[in-house]
mmCIF file of all heavy atoms in Angstrom:
data_model
loop_
_atom_site.group_PDB
_atom_site.id
_atom_site.type_symbol
_atom_site.label_atom_id
_atom_site.label_comp_id
_atom_site.label_asym_id
_atom_site.label_seq_id
_atom_site.Cartn_x
_atom_site.Cartn_y
_atom_site.Cartn_z
ATOM 1 N N GLU A 213 5.600 1.975 -16.815
ATOM 2 C CA GLU A 213 5.216 1.926 -18.224
ATOM 3 C C GLU A 213 3.760 2.329 -18.436
ATOM 4 O O GLU A 213 3.382 2.728 -19.542
ATOM 5 C CB GLU A 213 5.446 0.515 -18.778
ATOM 6 C CG GLU A 213 6.916 0.120 -18.862
ATOM 7 C CD GLU A 213 7.092 -1.339 -19.238
ATOM 8 O OE1 GLU A 213 6.057 -2.040 -19.384
ATOM 9 O OE2 GLU A 213 8.243 -1.783 -19.370
ATOM 10 N N LEU A 214 2.938 2.210 -17.389
ATOM 11 C CA LEU A 214 1.523 2.562 -17.522
ATOM 12 C C LEU A 214 1.343 4.074 -17.430
ATOM 13 O O LEU A 214 0.989 4.716 -18.398
ATOM 14 C CB LEU A 214 0.700 1.830 -16.463
ATOM 15 C CG LEU A 214 0.714 0.297 -16.577
ATOM 16 C CD1 LEU A 214 -0.089 -0.323 -15.458
ATOM 17 C CD2 LEU A 214 0.156 -0.142 -17.929
ATOM 18 N N ASP A 215 1.565 4.635 -16.257
ATOM 19 C CA ASP A 215 1.563 6.093 -16.113
ATOM 20 C C ASP A 215 2.139 6.455 -14.752
ATOM 21 O O ASP A 215 2.369 5.593 -13.903
ATOM 22 C CB ASP A 215 0.165 6.703 -16.304
ATOM 23 C CG ASP A 215 -0.855 6.162 -15.312
ATOM 24 O OD1 ASP A 215 -0.582 6.195 -14.097
ATOM 25 O OD2 ASP A 215 -1.921 5.707 -15.750
ATOM 26 N N ASP A 216 2.364 7.754 -14.539
ATOM 27 C CA ASP A 216 3.007 8.218 -13.309
ATOM 28 C C ASP A 216 2.144 7.943 -12.080
ATOM 29 O O ASP A 216 2.667 7.694 -10.990
ATOM 30 C CB ASP A 216 3.306 9.716 -13.407
ATOM 31 C CG ASP A 216 4.415 10.027 -14.395
ATOM 32 O OD1 ASP A 216 5.189 9.097 -14.713
ATOM 33 O OD2 ASP A 216 4.499 11.182 -14.857
ATOM 34 N N THR A 217 0.818 7.999 -12.256
ATOM 35 C CA THR A 217 -0.069 7.758 -11.106
ATOM 36 C C THR A 217 0.074 6.327 -10.603
ATOM 37 O O THR A 217 0.172 6.096 -9.393
ATOM 38 C CB THR A 217 -1.532 8.023 -11.511
ATOM 39 O OG1 THR A 217 -1.668 9.372 -11.962
ATOM 40 C CG2 THR A 217 -2.460 7.789 -10.324
ATOM 41 N N VAL A 218 0.086 5.363 -11.521
ATOM 42 C CA VAL A 218 0.257 3.961 -11.140
ATOM 43 C C VAL A 218 1.620 3.755 -10.500
ATOM 44 O O VAL A 218 1.758 3.054 -9.486
ATOM 45 C CB VAL A 218 0.087 3.043 -12.364
ATOM 46 C CG1 VAL A 218 0.362 1.589 -11.987
ATOM 47 C CG2 VAL A 218 -1.313 3.179 -12.948
ATOM 48 N N TYR A 219 2.658 4.375 -11.068
ATOM 49 C CA TYR A 219 4.010 4.238 -10.539
ATOM 50 C C TYR A 219 4.108 4.809 -9.123
ATOM 51 O O TYR A 219 4.677 4.175 -8.227
ATOM 52 C CB TYR A 219 4.996 4.943 -11.468
ATOM 53 C CG TYR A 219 6.413 4.947 -10.952
ATOM 54 C CD1 TYR A 219 7.147 3.762 -10.835
ATOM 55 C CD2 TYR A 219 7.027 6.139 -10.579
ATOM 56 C CE1 TYR A 219 8.447 3.768 -10.359
ATOM 57 C CE2 TYR A 219 8.325 6.147 -10.106
ATOM 58 C CZ TYR A 219 9.040 4.964 -9.997
ATOM 59 O OH TYR A 219 10.321 4.978 -9.523
ATOM 60 N N ASP A 220 3.551 6.005 -8.912
ATOM 61 C CA ASP A 220 3.598 6.611 -7.578
ATOM 62 C C ASP A 220 2.853 5.757 -6.565
ATOM 63 O O ASP A 220 3.304 5.588 -5.421
ATOM 64 C CB ASP A 220 2.993 8.015 -7.618
ATOM 65 C CG ASP A 220 3.888 9.008 -8.349
ATOM 66 O OD1 ASP A 220 5.089 8.718 -8.495
ATOM 67 O OD2 ASP A 220 3.375 10.063 -8.776
ATOM 68 N N SER A 221 1.699 5.225 -6.973
ATOM 69 C CA SER A 221 0.935 4.351 -6.087
ATOM 70 C C SER A 221 1.726 3.103 -5.727
ATOM 71 O O SER A 221 1.727 2.664 -4.572
ATOM 72 C CB SER A 221 -0.388 3.968 -6.758
ATOM 73 O OG SER A 221 -1.100 3.034 -5.968
ATOM 74 N N MET A 222 2.439 2.538 -6.705
ATOM 75 C CA MET A 222 3.220 1.332 -6.447
ATOM 76 C C MET A 222 4.393 1.634 -5.524
ATOM 77 O O MET A 222 4.712 0.844 -4.632
ATOM 78 C CB MET A 222 3.703 0.725 -7.757
ATOM 79 C CG MET A 222 4.309 -0.663 -7.614
ATOM 80 S SD MET A 222 3.109 -1.889 -6.982
ATOM 81 C CE MET A 222 2.011 -2.008 -8.401
ATOM 82 N N ARG A 223 5.054 2.760 -5.727
ATOM 83 C CA ARG A 223 6.165 3.137 -4.850
ATOM 84 C C ARG A 223 5.680 3.277 -3.409
ATOM 85 O O ARG A 223 6.330 2.815 -2.475
ATOM 86 C CB ARG A 223 6.793 4.447 -5.317
ATOM 87 C CG ARG A 223 7.759 4.317 -6.466
ATOM 88 C CD ARG A 223 8.650 5.542 -6.615
ATOM 89 N NE ARG A 223 7.886 6.781 -6.654
ATOM 90 C CZ ARG A 223 7.920 7.713 -5.708
ATOM 91 N NH1 ARG A 223 8.664 7.531 -4.628
ATOM 92 N NH2 ARG A 223 7.201 8.805 -5.822
ATOM 93 N N GLN A 224 4.537 3.913 -3.245
ATOM 94 C CA GLN A 224 3.972 4.069 -1.906
ATOM 95 C C GLN A 224 3.579 2.719 -1.317
ATOM 96 O O GLN A 224 3.738 2.480 -0.116
ATOM 97 C CB GLN A 224 2.769 5.006 -1.960
ATOM 98 C CG GLN A 224 3.118 6.433 -2.344
ATOM 99 C CD GLN A 224 1.886 7.298 -2.595
ATOM 100 O OE1 GLN A 224 0.774 6.949 -2.207
ATOM 101 N NE2 GLN A 224 2.088 8.420 -3.266
ATOM 102 N N GLY A 225 3.069 1.826 -2.183
ATOM 103 C CA GLY A 225 2.694 0.492 -1.726
ATOM 104 C C GLY A 225 3.897 -0.294 -1.242
ATOM 105 O O GLY A 225 3.826 -0.995 -0.222
ATOM 106 N N VAL A 226 5.012 -0.203 -1.955
ATOM 107 C CA VAL A 226 6.237 -0.902 -1.541
ATOM 108 C C VAL A 226 6.723 -0.351 -0.201
ATOM 109 O O VAL A 226 7.080 -1.122 0.713
ATOM 110 C CB VAL A 226 7.330 -0.754 -2.617
ATOM 111 C CG1 VAL A 226 8.668 -1.249 -2.086
ATOM 112 C CG2 VAL A 226 6.951 -1.524 -3.880
ATOM 113 N N ALA A 227 6.734 0.971 -0.061
ATOM 114 C CA ALA A 227 7.184 1.581 1.190
ATOM 115 C C ALA A 227 6.289 1.157 2.355
ATOM 116 O O ALA A 227 6.783 0.819 3.445
ATOM 117 C CB ALA A 227 7.200 3.100 1.056
ATOM 118 N N ARG A 228 4.982 1.155 2.129
ATOM 119 C CA ARG A 228 4.041 0.734 3.182
ATOM 120 C C ARG A 228 4.239 -0.734 3.515
ATOM 121 O O ARG A 228 4.178 -1.138 4.688
ATOM 122 C CB ARG A 228 2.619 0.998 2.699
ATOM 123 C CG ARG A 228 1.524 0.395 3.561
ATOM 124 C CD ARG A 228 1.416 1.046 4.932
ATOM 125 N NE ARG A 228 0.386 0.389 5.703
ATOM 126 C CZ ARG A 228 -0.922 0.668 5.586
ATOM 127 N NH1 ARG A 228 -1.331 1.600 4.733
ATOM 128 N NH2 ARG A 228 -1.810 0.025 6.322
ATOM 129 N N ALA A 229 4.487 -1.559 2.503
ATOM 130 C CA ALA A 229 4.682 -2.991 2.722
ATOM 131 C C ALA A 229 5.881 -3.249 3.619
ATOM 132 O O ALA A 229 5.802 -4.038 4.577
ATOM 133 C CB ALA A 229 4.867 -3.702 1.380
ATOM 134 N N LEU A 230 6.985 -2.588 3.343
ATOM 135 C CA LEU A 230 8.201 -2.784 4.138
ATOM 136 C C LEU A 230 8.025 -2.238 5.553
ATOM 137 O O LEU A 230 8.523 -2.824 6.526
ATOM 138 C CB LEU A 230 9.383 -2.105 3.447
ATOM 139 C CG LEU A 230 9.750 -2.678 2.068
ATOM 140 C CD1 LEU A 230 10.839 -1.838 1.409
ATOM 141 C CD2 LEU A 230 10.189 -4.136 2.181
ATOM 142 N N HIS A 231 7.296 -1.145 5.672
ATOM 143 C CA HIS A 231 7.044 -0.557 6.993
ATOM 144 C C HIS A 231 6.183 -1.484 7.841
ATOM 145 O O HIS A 231 6.485 -1.748 9.021
ATOM 146 C CB HIS A 231 6.357 0.800 6.825
ATOM 147 C CG HIS A 231 6.141 1.542 8.106
ATOM 148 N ND1 HIS A 231 5.035 1.346 8.906
ATOM 149 C CD2 HIS A 231 6.906 2.470 8.741
ATOM 150 C CE1 HIS A 231 5.108 2.128 9.971
ATOM 151 N NE2 HIS A 231 6.236 2.820 9.898
ATOM 152 N N ASP A 232 5.105 -2.007 7.269
ATOM 153 C CA ASP A 232 4.222 -2.924 8.003
ATOM 154 C C ASP A 232 4.954 -4.203 8.389
ATOM 155 O O ASP A 232 4.774 -4.724 9.498
ATOM 156 C CB ASP A 232 3.001 -3.280 7.142
ATOM 157 C CG ASP A 232 1.869 -2.280 7.296
ATOM 158 O OD1 ASP A 232 2.023 -1.318 8.062
ATOM 159 O OD2 ASP A 232 0.827 -2.467 6.643
ATOM 160 N N GLU A 233 5.761 -4.718 7.471
ATOM 161 C CA GLU A 233 6.494 -5.951 7.749
ATOM 162 C C GLU A 233 7.442 -5.757 8.930
ATOM 163 O O GLU A 233 7.563 -6.639 9.790
ATOM 164 C CB GLU A 233 7.285 -6.376 6.501
ATOM 165 C CG GLU A 233 8.119 -7.625 6.673
ATOM 166 C CD GLU A 233 7.302 -8.882 6.929
ATOM 167 O OE1 GLU A 233 6.133 -8.926 6.521
ATOM 168 O OE2 GLU A 233 7.849 -9.823 7.556
ATOM 169 N N ALA A 234 8.086 -4.604 8.994
ATOM 170 C CA ALA A 234 9.003 -4.319 10.104
ATOM 171 C C ALA A 234 8.256 -4.139 11.418
ATOM 172 O O ALA A 234 8.720 -4.579 12.479
ATOM 173 C CB ALA A 234 9.819 -3.073 9.782
ATOM 174 N N ASP A 235 7.077 -3.521 11.363
ATOM 175 C CA ASP A 235 6.326 -3.226 12.589
ATOM 176 C C ASP A 235 5.495 -4.404 13.092
ATOM 177 O O ASP A 235 5.402 -4.636 14.297
ATOM 178 C CB ASP A 235 5.395 -2.034 12.354
ATOM 179 C CG ASP A 235 6.136 -0.708 12.386
ATOM 180 O OD1 ASP A 235 7.354 -0.714 12.646
ATOM 181 O OD2 ASP A 235 5.499 0.330 12.122
ATOM 182 N N PHE A 236 4.866 -5.138 12.163
ATOM 183 C CA PHE A 236 3.888 -6.158 12.556
ATOM 184 C C PHE A 236 4.228 -7.570 12.103
ATOM 185 O O PHE A 236 3.612 -8.524 12.578
ATOM 186 C CB PHE A 236 2.506 -5.795 11.992
ATOM 187 C CG PHE A 236 2.029 -4.421 12.346
ATOM 188 C CD1 PHE A 236 1.837 -3.468 11.349
ATOM 189 C CD2 PHE A 236 1.780 -4.063 13.655
ATOM 190 C CE1 PHE A 236 1.396 -2.196 11.655
ATOM 191 C CE2 PHE A 236 1.334 -2.790 13.979
ATOM 192 C CZ PHE A 236 1.147 -1.848 12.975
ATOM 193 N N GLY A 237 5.160 -7.716 11.168
ATOM 194 C CA GLY A 237 5.423 -9.044 10.612
ATOM 195 C C GLY A 237 4.340 -9.479 9.647
ATOM 196 O O GLY A 237 4.239 -10.653 9.293
ATOM 197 N N CYS A 238 3.512 -8.523 9.192
ATOM 198 C CA CYS A 238 2.449 -8.797 8.231
ATOM 199 C C CYS A 238 2.077 -7.487 7.561
ATOM 200 O O CYS A 238 2.523 -6.417 7.985
ATOM 201 C CB CYS A 238 1.223 -9.415 8.911
ATOM 202 S SG CYS A 238 0.352 -8.275 10.018
ATOM 203 N N ALA A 239 1.274 -7.553 6.516
ATOM 204 C CA ALA A 239 0.742 -6.349 5.878
ATOM 205 C C ALA A 239 -0.648 -6.068 6.427
ATOM 206 O O ALA A 239 -1.362 -6.986 6.833
ATOM 207 C CB ALA A 239 0.682 -6.528 4.364
ATOM 208 N N THR A 240 -1.029 -4.800 6.443
ATOM 209 C CA THR A 240 -2.320 -4.423 7.006
ATOM 210 C C THR A 240 -3.108 -3.550 6.040
ATOM 211 O O THR A 240 -2.536 -2.847 5.198
ATOM 212 C CB THR A 240 -2.142 -3.635 8.323
ATOM 213 O OG1 THR A 240 -1.504 -2.377 8.034
ATOM 214 C CG2 THR A 240 -1.288 -4.422 9.313
ATOM 215 N N SER A 241 -4.423 -3.599 6.167
ATOM 216 C CA SER A 241 -5.312 -2.717 5.422
ATOM 217 C C SER A 241 -6.552 -2.511 6.279
ATOM 218 O O SER A 241 -7.388 -3.414 6.404
ATOM 219 C CB SER A 241 -5.691 -3.323 4.061
ATOM 220 O OG SER A 241 -6.616 -2.484 3.392
ATOM 221 N N PHE A 242 -6.660 -1.350 6.861
ATOM 222 C CA PHE A 242 -7.782 -1.050 7.739
ATOM 223 C C PHE A 242 -8.617 0.061 7.102
ATOM 224 O O PHE A 242 -8.338 1.241 7.259
ATOM 225 C CB PHE A 242 -7.280 -0.638 9.125
ATOM 226 C CG PHE A 242 -6.422 -1.683 9.784
ATOM 227 C CD1 PHE A 242 -5.151 -1.370 10.245
ATOM 228 C CD2 PHE A 242 -6.876 -2.987 9.925
ATOM 229 C CE1 PHE A 242 -4.364 -2.336 10.847
ATOM 230 C CE2 PHE A 242 -6.091 -3.960 10.520
ATOM 231 C CZ PHE A 242 -4.831 -3.639 10.980
ATOM 232 N N GLY A 243 -9.627 -0.360 6.340
ATOM 233 C CA GLY A 243 -10.497 0.583 5.664
ATOM 234 C C GLY A 243 -9.867 1.262 4.467
ATOM 235 O O GLY A 243 -10.387 2.275 3.999
ATOM 236 N N GLU A 244 -8.767 0.712 3.933
ATOM 237 C CA GLU A 244 -8.102 1.342 2.785
ATOM 238 C C GLU A 244 -8.509 0.675 1.477
ATOM 239 O O GLU A 244 -8.867 1.357 0.511
ATOM 240 C CB GLU A 244 -6.588 1.256 2.956
ATOM 241 C CG GLU A 244 -6.068 1.958 4.199
ATOM 242 C CD GLU A 244 -4.696 1.442 4.564
ATOM 243 O OE1 GLU A 244 -3.810 1.465 3.696
ATOM 244 O OE2 GLU A 244 -4.514 0.995 5.722
ATOM 245 N N TRP A 245 -8.412 -0.654 1.414
ATOM 246 C CA TRP A 245 -8.808 -1.364 0.199
ATOM 247 C C TRP A 245 -10.290 -1.123 -0.069
ATOM 248 O O TRP A 245 -10.685 -0.753 -1.167
ATOM 249 C CB TRP A 245 -8.512 -2.854 0.358
ATOM 250 C CG TRP A 245 -9.059 -3.668 -0.762
ATOM 251 C CD1 TRP A 245 -8.716 -3.598 -2.089
ATOM 252 C CD2 TRP A 245 -10.091 -4.660 -0.676
ATOM 253 N NE1 TRP A 245 -9.467 -4.480 -2.832
ATOM 254 C CE2 TRP A 245 -10.316 -5.146 -1.991
ATOM 255 C CE3 TRP A 245 -10.832 -5.193 0.378
ATOM 256 C CZ2 TRP A 245 -11.263 -6.130 -2.273
ATOM 257 C CZ3 TRP A 245 -11.769 -6.167 0.101
ATOM 258 C CH2 TRP A 245 -11.973 -6.633 -1.204
ATOM 259 N N GLN A 246 -11.123 -1.323 0.939
ATOM 260 C CA GLN A 246 -12.526 -0.912 0.915
ATOM 261 C C GLN A 246 -12.824 -0.294 2.271
ATOM 262 O O GLN A 246 -12.328 -0.756 3.297
ATOM 263 C CB GLN A 246 -13.453 -2.101 0.651
ATOM 264 C CG GLN A 246 -13.382 -2.615 -0.784
ATOM 265 C CD GLN A 246 -14.458 -3.656 -1.062
ATOM 266 O OE1 GLN A 246 -15.420 -3.803 -0.319
ATOM 267 N NE2 GLN A 246 -14.287 -4.385 -2.157
ATOM 268 N N GLN A 247 -13.632 0.730 2.272
ATOM 269 C CA GLN A 247 -13.816 1.553 3.458
ATOM 270 C C GLN A 247 -14.290 0.757 4.678
ATOM 271 O O GLN A 247 -13.902 1.041 5.806
ATOM 272 C CB GLN A 247 -14.806 2.685 3.163
ATOM 273 C CG GLN A 247 -14.946 3.695 4.298
ATOM 274 C CD GLN A 247 -15.815 4.869 3.906
ATOM 275 O OE1 GLN A 247 -16.376 4.901 2.818
ATOM 276 N NE2 GLN A 247 -15.936 5.843 4.786
ATOM 277 N N ASP A 248 -15.102 -0.253 4.447
ATOM 278 C CA ASP A 248 -15.697 -0.981 5.565
ATOM 279 C C ASP A 248 -15.068 -2.366 5.770
ATOM 280 O O ASP A 248 -15.672 -3.238 6.400
ATOM 281 C CB ASP A 248 -17.202 -1.135 5.368
ATOM 282 C CG ASP A 248 -17.539 -1.846 4.050
ATOM 283 O OD1 ASP A 248 -16.647 -1.962 3.194
ATOM 284 O OD2 ASP A 248 -18.696 -2.283 3.894
ATOM 285 N N ILE A 249 -13.844 -2.566 5.256
ATOM 286 C CA ILE A 249 -13.183 -3.864 5.355
ATOM 287 C C ILE A 249 -11.829 -3.725 6.051
ATOM 288 O O ILE A 249 -11.039 -2.840 5.709
ATOM 289 C CB ILE A 249 -12.967 -4.497 3.959
ATOM 290 C CG1 ILE A 249 -14.306 -4.692 3.239
ATOM 291 C CG2 ILE A 249 -12.217 -5.825 4.086
ATOM 292 C CD1 ILE A 249 -15.254 -5.638 3.945
#
């Protein structure tokens, strides 16, 4: 409902979430949310 960019980002986020959960049993963010975090 917001825009296509937000929707595409959310779709990618869901796919990444399921992938991380299958691989690690947790979600990961290595320098993505903030470059140095």
Side-chain angles (χ1 to χ4, degrees):
E213 292 172 358
L214 297 178
D215 59 52
D216 290 340
T217 301
V218 176
Y219 176 67
D220 289 341
S221 175
M222 190 62 69
R223 280 197 309 113
Q224 294 171 16
V226 170
R228 170 68 182 278
L230 297 174
H231 184 274
D232 273 0
E233 178 65 25
D235 282 357
F236 306 116
C238 68
T240 66
S241 177
F242 302 126
E244 299 160 54
W245 172 63
Q246 288 188 16
Q247 187 174 4
D248 57 346
I249 301 298

